Amino acid sequence: MTQKLSQSRSERDYIPGLGRHFLTPLYDVAHGVFGLHSVHSEMIEQAELRDGQRVLDVGCGTGNLLRATGRRHPSADLVGLDPDPKALTRAERKARRAGLTVRLDRGFAQELPYGDDSFDRVFSSLMLHHLDSTSKDALLAEVRRVLRPDGRLVLADAVLDEQGHHHGHRQVGMRNRMREQLRDNVGDAVAQRIAGAGFTVEPTRTVEPTRTVTLRVGGAIGIVSARLDGNP
């Protein structure tokens, strides 16, 4: 696992997967309880991966999406990025147990430590609401930079209704900062933000810009698939 960061970047504040650092050991339990495997399955389907393509998971957490991708596409070149060293340690252990070769880097979504045109696909699963508006735009700009001309972004995040509620579920225990950042997720706001960053949002099977997956617990997740503007 690569962990090369400057001191200033390594000390940057971030919100861990479940909102608080002490909850990180419970992340995989929550993943199963919420039924997030269905979200990851849909994301992999929308990515339309081909043999040997290079895939980046931004905010990979404990590596569940990477592991699911590797199982379905054994020839994929998998890379995961996350600021949380404890989550990355778990991701590395799980990949090893699954017999997968995965590169795991510690870093931040706003400054992806990769060269231009480095990836065929970029995933982002349930981490956009961890960022403020400026950082969200920085992430999308970085994804544009590292994607190859025929690349695709597949992004999943929580969906709120017009009143700002997560489909009727209270955001129990959520830090105030994350709750405020979720306000950017009303309706198709995430898809609109992605389009505004220079991507073409692709229609889904429901002919809506956002494909919605309802979790067993915790509301609904919207999935957006987008390619770079001007590419077929």
Side-chain angles (χ1 to χ4, degrees):
M1 180 176 67
T2 305
Q3 292 195 28
K4 296 180 179 179
L5 287 175
S6 67
Q7 184 176 13
S8 61
R9 288 178 62 198
S10 66
E11 293 175 351
R12 175 183 290 161
D13 188 27
Y14 63 91
I15 301 175
L18 290 179
R20 298 183 184 277
H21 290 281
F22 73 87
L23 294 176
T24 297
L26 300 177
Y27 186 86
D28 290 325
V29 175
H31 182 275
V33 171
F34 294 160
L36 289 170
H37 62 278
S38 60
V39 174
H40 290 172
S41 179
E42 180 66 25
M43 292 179 72
I44 295 168
E45 186 75 20
Q46 291 199 26
E48 298 181 355
L49 280 166
R50 298 190 295 273
D51 288 347
Q53 288 190 317
R54 194 171 191 223
V55 180
L56 170 65
D57 183 7
V58 181
C60 66
T62 64
N64 291 314
L65 178 53
L66 288 169
R67 186 171 57 170
T69 303
R71 285 173 171 169
R72 289 181 59 174
H73 299 279
S75 68
D77 181 3
L78 302 176
V79 180
L81 179 85
D82 201 276
D84 188 343
K86 292 181 179 179
L88 288 173
T89 297
R90 289 174 175 270
E92 184 177 33
R93 182 167 61 246
K94 287 158 61 177
R96 186 171 61 250
R97 288 175 177 171
L100 298 174
T101 300
V102 178
R103 171 178 169 176
L104 296 168
D105 297 325
R106 188 178 178 217
F108 296 88
Q110 306 95 309
E111 299 175 38
L112 299 179
Y114 310 109
D116 297 354
D117 305 331
S118 297
F119 294 94
D120 301 289
R121 300 290 186 269
V122 174
F123 287 134
S124 172
S125 176
L126 301 180
M127 63 80 61
L128 191 69
H129 64 274
H130 288 225
L131 306 176
D132 60 30
S133 291
T134 299
S135 296
K136 290 172 184 174
D137 292 336
L139 161 64
L140 294 174
E142 281 290 88
V143 171
R144 277 184 56 85
R145 181 181 65 77
V146 303
L147 269 178
R148 290 168 180 157
D150 59 347
R152 182 177 300 172
L153 165 66
V154 181
L155 185 148
D157 209 30
V159 175
L160 276 65
D161 61 25
E162 294 301 325
Q163 287 72 46
H165 299 134
H166 189 190
H167 282 242
H169 293 267
R170 293 181 61 200
Q171 297 148 16
V172 179
M174 187 175 293
R175 289 173 57 174
N176 288 337
R177 178 172 138 203
M178 193 188 298
R179 187 180 299 114
E180 285 301 314
Q181 289 162 192
L182 262 171
R183 295 185 186 278
D184 288 340
N185 289 31
V186 174
D188 284 323
V190 171
Q192 293 170 14
R193 180 184 291 273
I194 292 171
F199 292 84
T200 297
V201 175
E202 300 174 319
T204 68
R205 290 192 295 269
T206 57
V207 200
E208 296 292 337
T210 303
R211 161 76 168 148
T212 301
V213 176
T214 302
L215 302 178
R216 288 202 298 261
V217 178
I221 302 300
I223 302 173
V224 180
S225 176
R227 64 181 187 276
L228 298 182
D229 268 353
N231 293 321

